[in-house]
Amino acid sequence: MTWKAARGEPSCPDDHVFRGQQGPWTAQAIQQLVKKHLKALGLYENEKSVHALRHSYAVEYYRQEKDLRGLQKQLGHASIQTTQIYADVTAEDIQKQIRGLWG
């Protein structure tokens, strides 16, 4: 938002982050743009979407921060139970914990 403000663009918390010449971008426009760039990078897989990126972010945020409430706020979930889906423990986490037991 600081970047937008420096360029004279609306930057209040309620303003849209992505705007085109005809107004705010739609969710569908953002999804198509992400899909296009994933394909260009050779990372696109069928059924992958903006939601998959959101999920990856949430999992990594929780792995690093262990802050479920903070993640809930970022994702905009009303229920902490919904956010707990992203807090699942990975096999890598379990192996690291086990190795830590014997130093």
Side-chain angles (χ1 to χ4, degrees):
M1 299 308 283
T2 303
W3 182 85
K4 288 176 68 74
R7 282 153 188 77
E9 295 184 29
S11 57
C12 295
D14 294 332
D15 288 321
H16 294 278
V17 175
F18 301 107
R19 295 186 62 85
Q21 292 177 342
Q22 298 178 356
W25 287 13
T26 64
Q28 184 178 13
I30 294 170
Q31 290 171 355
Q32 290 298 323
L33 184 65
V34 169
K35 183 177 179 178
K36 173 186 166 185
H37 288 286
L38 287 175
K39 283 183 175 181
L41 293 168
L43 299 174
Y44 180 77
E45 295 178 22
N46 223 6
E47 304 300 320
K48 296 293 181 184
S49 65
V50 171
H51 188 269
L53 294 175
R54 173 182 162 95
H55 183 85
S56 296
Y57 169 80
V59 168
E60 191 59 29
Y61 174 90
Y62 183 76
R63 285 183 74 198
Q64 290 184 29
E65 301 298 325
K66 302 293 190 247
D67 179 7
L68 196 59
R69 183 75 172 122
L71 182 58
Q72 177 191 8
K73 290 268 190 190
Q74 286 186 42
L75 297 177
H77 293 155
S79 168
I80 196 76
Q81 284 80 17
T82 303
T83 310
Q84 285 177 320
I85 293 166
Y86 300 100
D88 196 14
V89 179
T90 66
E92 181 183 332
D93 292 333
I94 293 170
Q95 288 177 355
K96 185 187 276 185
Q97 291 166 348
I98 290 171
R99 280 193 295 267
L101 292 174
W102 289 281

